[in-house]
Amino acid sequence: MVNLSALNPQQRLAAETIRGPVLILAGAGTGKTRVITFRIAHMVQRGIAPGNILGVTFTNKAAREMQERVSKLLPKSRAQGSKSKADKENRPTICTFHSLCVRILRVHIEKLGYKKNFVIYDESEQLAAVKKILSAISAKGEKTDPGAVLAMLSKFKNGGENSATFGDPSVRALAQHIAKRYESALHACNAVDFDDLILLTLRLFREHPEALTACRSKYQYVMVDEYQDTNAAQFELVHSLTKEHRNFCVVGDDDQSIYGWRGAEVANLLNMEKHFPEIKVVKLEQNYRSTTTILNAANAIIKNNVRRRGKSLWSQKGAGAKIQLQTYTNDEDEARETVSQIEFKRIAHRIPWQDCAILFRTNQQARPIETELRKAGVKYHLIGGQSFFDRREIKDFIAYLKIFINPHDDISLLRIANVPARGLSDVTMERLLGASHERKCSVFTAMKNPMVTTTFLKNTRESIEAFVEFVERVQSQLQQGKDEFRLQTWAENFLNEASYLTELKRLEKDPEVAESRIRNLREMMPTMDGAGNAPAERLENFLENITLDSDRADEKENTQDAVTLITMHSCKGLEFPHVFVVGLEDGLLPHTRSKVEGTMDEERRLFYVAVTRAMETLTISHCGGRKKYGQLLPCQPSPFLKELPEELVEHSDAKSKIPVAQESGKNFFAAMRSAVS
C-alpha cells in the first residue's frame, strides 16, 4: 500500500487529485519529485492501468529518478515484474519529451515518408549539415557562423517565427529557405534532429488523426514536470494528447522559469485556466531545503515580479545564519577570498569541499576562480565541461556505427570516410558530395554509381570501391547476426580491420593520451549489448539512448570530495549546504541584454533560483572592477541586491568588527591543531 500519510497536507492533496486537470504549483525545495512519484503509485493503487500513465520531464536523470522511486513504491509485480515486452508495456511511461516522441515515431514515422530505422543527429552532426548548406548558398568569401544559423533554425522551427527576431521579412524568408533545405538534407539521410522529434510528431498528429487517437487511447493520464520550461511545440504536443480526456496534471513553478532564451514560455503555466477552466490548483510552499533566513530573502526578491502566481516559501529548519554580502576590489580578489572561505570552512568546521558550490552568471567568470582553486590545491568539479560523448574518438566510433545502420547518413559517412586515411581525401569527398547533390542522392549511393566513380583516377576509384565493400560487408555481418551475436566483438573486429586504434596511437604524441582514448572506446563497447534481440535492433537502441541521453555525462555523481562550479542556469534542481554566488553586478545579473530585450523578470527569477540552492549558508559577492580582455573595467552592484531585506544580511566589513566568542575561538584553534597534527 502507498502510504500517503508520509506526505504533508498539500502534498497529499496533490497526490490524491488524480482525475481532471490539476496544477501543482511546487516552489523550490518543496518535494515535488516525491509528490509526483506518490501520485503515480496512488493512481496504480486506485486501479488505473500503469500502461495508461505517462509522466514527461526534461532530463533523463529526472526520468530515471522518478522511475526508480515509483518502482520502490509499487509492488514488484506491478512496477517491475518480468522483463518481457508485454510487462514493460504495462509500466507507467516516465520519459523526456524527446524520448516520448521517439517511441511514437518508431511506430508511425513511415506515414511521414521516413524509414523506421531513422537516425537522430546530435549537435555536431546538425552543424555539419548546416555547413554543407551554407557552402552551397553563401557568396564567395562570405563567412557565416553555422552555430548562429542552427540556433536561429531551432528557434524558428519551435514556433519562434512569431517573435521579434523574425519580424524582418528578409530574415523570415532566409530562415524559411534554410529550414527547407535543412529538412531536405536530413530527410535524404533518413535522419531527424532533436527539434524534429517533436515537430514530426505534431505533423503526424495533424496529418494522421488515427495515430493521435491511438496515442490518446494509450496515454489516458498525463503528467508534465517543470511545465514552466515548455515551449510552443511541447505545449501543443501535450495539449493534443490531453484536451479530450482532460486528465492532465502539470507540475511547475513560474518563479523558476529561466529558459526564455531557448524558447520556454512561462505563459504556458500562468495561463492554464484559459485552456482548462475547471483546473484545480494545489500550492506546495513548505520548503525542506533551506533556512528561514534564506527563504525570506528569496520571497522578498521574487515578489518584485508582478506577473506571477503568488506563493510564499516557509520552512521549519529555523532562522540559521544571516546572508553574507561581500564587496571586493576586483574579480581576482573575489576568487581568492571565496576559495579562502571554503578552506576556512573545511579546516575550522570540518565542512568537506563537496558541500560547497560557487555559482556564477556566465562561464567566463569561472576562469579566475579555477586559477585560485588550483593554486590552493582545492579539488573542484566544473559542471558543463567536455562531455564524454564529445570526445573525438567517441564521435568517430558512433559515426561508424551509424553508417552500418544507415550508409546513407551523409554526415556520419563524411566524418569517417577517411578516418583512418584510406585514399579518400577531402578533395575526393567534395567531388562525391557534389555528385550526390547533382543526382539528388546520398554520398554512399554516389560512391556505388559507376557513372560517378569512373571520373576518378584508378587509385582513388579503388579506394572508393574498397570503402563501399567494407561498409556493406560489416553491415551484412550486423544484419545477418543471430541473437547470440555480440556487438562488442563485432565492433572490435571492424575497428581493428580499419586500423582505427593503431591510428589513434600514431596521431597522439603523448602515449598516455592515446591509451586514454583507446580505454574510452573499450569502456563503451560492452554497453552496446543491451535491450533488444536482433543485433541491428540492439545497436539502434544503443545509438538512440546515447543521443537522447546526452545529459548523462553531466549528471555523473561527483564521487570525489570536490567543490562544484556551476552557472546559475545549470544549477536548477540542485542543492548545496554552502553556496557562494559571485559576480552580483549590474550587467552580469541582470545581464546587459535583459534591459534591451525586456527580460528583467527572468533575470530576477535566475537570482531567485541561485538563492534557493542554499541549504545552510549563503554568501553573495560583487566587485568594484572586473577584468575584460586584460583591462580592469569598473562595475556597479546589481540592483537586485537592494531587494534583499537589510535585517537578513550581514556585510563582511560589519562582521569583521564583531568580537569572536571565547568558546568559538577555542573550537577554531582546536580544529586548526587537529588539521595540522
Side-chain angles (χ1 to χ4, degrees):
M1 293 288 288
V2 180
N3 184 12
L4 295 184
S5 64
L7 305 177
N8 71 39
Q10 289 305 104
Q11 290 177 331
R12 180 165 184 162
L13 177 62
E16 287 177 331
T17 311
I18 58 177
R19 299 188 192 277
V22 183
L23 165 58
I24 301 174
L25 204 58
T30 56
K32 73 178 176 69
T33 304
R34 181 176 173 82
V35 172
I36 293 169
T37 52
F38 268 80
R39 188 175 188 271
I40 292 171
H42 180 62
M43 290 165 77
V44 175
Q45 187 176 279
R46 292 290 299 272
I48 295 171
N52 293 145
I53 300 170
L54 170 65
V56 187
T57 187
F58 278 85
T59 68
N60 291 284
K61 180 182 181 182
R64 274 193 297 275
E65 183 184 350
M66 286 183 195
Q67 190 71 265
E68 288 164 6
R69 288 168 72 166
V70 168
S71 295
K72 286 175 183 174
L73 288 173
L74 291 174
K76 191 169 184 182
S77 59
R78 304 295 296 275
Q80 296 165 323
S82 70
K83 293 186 178 179
S84 70
K85 188 175 180 183
D87 186 77
K88 286 179 182 176
E89 289 175 354
N90 200 38
R91 297 182 196 173
T93 300
I94 303 175
C95 61
T96 64
F97 279 98
H98 294 104
S99 296
L100 170 65
C101 291
V102 168
R103 289 167 188 252
I104 294 169
L105 292 173
R106 287 289 178 210
V107 177
H108 300 287
I109 201 168
E110 288 176 328
K111 295 181 174 74
L112 301 177
Y114 291 79
K115 295 174 186 173
K116 284 189 179 181
N117 69 337
F118 63 87
V119 294
I120 305 165
Y121 275 6
D122 65 16
E123 188 177 356
S124 66
E125 291 159 332
Q126 291 173 256
L127 282 169
V130 169
K131 285 176 186 173
K132 279 173 61 180
I133 294 165
L134 291 176
S135 67
I137 68 173
S138 298
K140 193 171 183 181
E142 183 182 13
K143 289 195 174 180
T144 308
D145 178 7
V149 173
L150 186 59
M152 179 186 74
L153 272 177
S154 181
K155 192 169 186 180
F156 183 81
K157 287 163 67 177
N158 279 293
E161 70 269 21
N162 298 318
S163 74
T165 311
F166 301 100
D168 184 335
S170 62
V171 175
R172 180 188 291 270
L174 176 65
Q176 288 173 330
H177 177 66
I178 294 177
K180 191 171 181 181
R181 293 189 70 140
Y182 177 78
E183 182 185 343
S184 298
L186 265 64
H187 198 167
C189 300
N190 196 38
V192 300
D193 67 16
F194 273 83
D195 295 328
D196 290 333
L197 291 172
I198 294 179
L199 299 178
L200 285 172
T201 305
L202 292 176
R203 188 180 136 203
L204 174 76
F205 287 171
R206 286 192 293 269
E207 296 177 7
H208 301 276
E210 73 281 5
L212 174 56
T213 301
C215 291
R216 281 177 178 165
S217 176
K218 177 169 176 58
Y219 303 122
Q220 293 177 27
Y221 294 83
V222 178
M223 294 183 71
V224 180
D225 188 20
E226 302 285 8
Y227 192 67
Q228 77 280 350
D229 294 337
T230 53
N231 61 29
Q234 291 160 341
F235 172 86
E236 186 182 343
L237 176 71
V238 291
H239 277 250
S240 297
L241 290 172
T242 59
K243 63 186 175 187
E244 286 197 359
H245 61 61
R246 304 182 83 75
N247 293 318
F248 185 36
C249 174
V250 303
V251 186
D253 180 7
D254 51 308
D255 290 337
Q256 296 185 73
S257 179
I258 58 173
Y259 300 124
W261 49 278
R262 68 183 188 198
E265 297 183 13
V266 69
N268 292 347
L269 188 144
L270 292 173
N271 298 338
M272 281 298 293
E273 286 86 352
K274 178 180 172 184
H275 305 282
F276 296 92
E278 75 276 32
I279 195 164
K280 182 164 187 174
V281 180
V282 182
K283 292 183 185 181
L284 305 183
E285 297 173 294
Q286 182 176 356
N287 176 285
Y288 293 91
R289 174 186 298 156
S290 308
T291 63
T292 301
T293 295
I294 291 167
L295 296 180
N296 287 346
N299 290 332
I301 293 161
I302 204 64
K303 75 176 183 185
N304 291 287
N305 278 0
V306 178
R307 191 165 179 249
R308 61 183 287 263
R309 289 180 178 267
K311 72 189 80 66
S312 185
L313 298 179
W314 60 277
S315 166
Q316 293 181 333
K317 291 186 73 174
K322 283 191 175 186
I323 295 166
Q324 299 299 309
L325 183 59
Q326 300 174 336
T327 308
Y328 297 106
T329 307
N330 55 52
D331 50 345
E332 290 177 351
D333 283 353
E334 179 184 52
R336 185 168 53 255
E337 288 304 314
T338 300
V339 173
S340 293
Q341 289 172 61
I342 289 171
E343 280 296 81
F344 178 82
K345 286 180 182 293
R346 182 179 68 86
I347 295 169
H349 301 294
R350 301 298 181 122
I351 292 169
W353 288 328
Q354 65 192 19
D355 283 1
C356 300
I358 304 174
L359 277 54
F360 36 81
R361 175 66 171 82
T362 67
N363 279 306
Q364 287 84 348
Q365 290 170 259
R367 187 201 57 77
I369 297 167
E370 284 193 79
T371 301
E372 291 301 327
L373 287 165
R374 286 170 185 262
K375 275 186 194 173
V378 176
K379 290 180 182 173
Y380 66 92
H381 173 54
L382 177 64
I383 293 187
Q386 187 187 36
S387 162
F388 177 80
F389 295 104
D390 285 337
R391 298 175 195 274
R392 187 184 77 232
E393 66 277 11
I394 299 299
K395 294 186 84 64
D396 286 347
F397 180 57
I398 290 170
Y400 267 111
L401 297 178
K402 284 183 174 179
I403 64 163
F404 296 137
I405 287 287
N406 174 17
H408 306 291
D409 174 359
D410 283 356
I411 303 300
S412 297
L413 185 141
L414 290 169
R415 180 180 180 94
I416 53 84
N418 206 41
V419 178
R422 50 171 67 90
L424 301 175
S425 67
D426 288 348
V427 174
T428 298
M429 296 313 296
E430 281 177 22
R431 284 182 59 189
L432 287 166
L433 184 59
S436 75
H437 284 320
E438 287 172 18
R439 289 165 171 75
K440 294 184 169 55
C441 66
S442 69
V443 174
F444 191 71
T445 300
M447 294 175 98
K448 294 178 67 175
N449 187 336
M451 299 286 288
V452 174
T453 55
T454 50
T455 65
F456 288 89
L457 295 173
K458 181 173 180 289
N459 285 349
T460 304
R461 186 169 65 250
E462 288 175 353
S463 295
I464 294 170
E465 290 167 354
F467 178 71
V468 168
E469 187 276 332
F470 168 68
V471 171
E472 290 186 332
R473 177 167 41 79
V474 177
Q475 183 187 37
S476 176
Q477 293 168 0
L478 176 69
Q479 291 172 340
Q480 293 174 14
K482 305 299 181 187
D483 288 359
E484 64 276 9
F485 182 93
R486 305 306 297 165
L487 290 175
Q488 179 181 354
T489 307
W490 167 77
E492 287 170 349
N493 289 341
F494 78 68
L495 285 178
N496 285 329
E497 184 181 345
S499 300
Y500 183 81
L501 302 182
T502 306
E503 182 79 346
L504 276 181
K505 290 178 183 177
R506 188 182 70 79
L507 290 175
E508 289 293 348
K509 292 178 182 176
D510 187 338
E512 284 189 19
V513 174
E515 282 306 316
S516 174
R517 292 190 183 281
I518 292 169
R519 188 163 57 249
N520 288 337
L521 288 170
R522 295 203 189 283
E523 285 176 2
M524 189 180 195
M525 283 188 234
T527 66
M528 296 164 63
D529 287 295
N533 296 316
E537 182 188 350
R538 271 183 272 142
L539 184 57
E540 284 175 13
N541 289 336
F542 172 74
L543 290 171
E544 186 178 294
N545 289 336
I546 281 177
T547 310
L548 292 175
D549 208 3
S550 57
D551 64 337
R552 184 185 281 271
D554 284 341
E555 78 183 37
K556 283 180 184 173
E557 291 300 326
N558 184 26
T559 51
Q560 279 193 325
D561 180 19
V563 175
T564 297
L565 270 60
I566 188 169
T567 65
M568 295 179 189
H569 278 107
S570 299
C571 74
K572 190 152 75 74
L574 303 177
E575 59 183 30
F576 307 93
H578 306 281
V579 168
F580 296 81
V581 180
V582 299
L584 248 290
E585 294 140 30
D586 199 10
L588 276 177
L589 190 76
H591 198 279
T592 309
R593 286 195 309 267
S594 65
K595 296 167 186 176
V596 179
E597 298 172 357
T599 55
M600 186 67 86
D601 279 9
E602 180 156 323
E603 292 292 294
R604 184 177 283 109
R605 291 196 291 266
L606 192 56
F607 185 33
Y608 172 83
V609 166
V611 167
T612 53
R613 297 313 94 196
M615 300 167 72
E616 297 173 25
T617 70
L618 173 64
T619 303
I620 299 172
S621 60
H622 63 94
C623 304
R626 189 168 290 275
K627 273 192 177 176
K628 191 172 183 181
Y629 307 120
Q631 268 191 310
L632 189 66
L633 301 177
C635 300
Q636 294 299 319
S638 168
F640 293 154
L641 292 175
K642 295 176 183 174
E643 298 174 4
L644 289 168
E646 191 60 40
E647 68 274 13
L648 303 178
V649 176
E650 190 170 71
H651 296 267
S652 57
D653 55 347
K655 187 186 177 187
S656 64
K657 296 170 187 173
I658 299 170
V660 177
Q662 187 176 6
E663 192 61 34
S664 297
K666 285 180 180 177
N667 291 341
F668 169 67
F669 285 112
M672 290 289 284
R673 280 195 296 273
S674 174
V676 298
S677 61

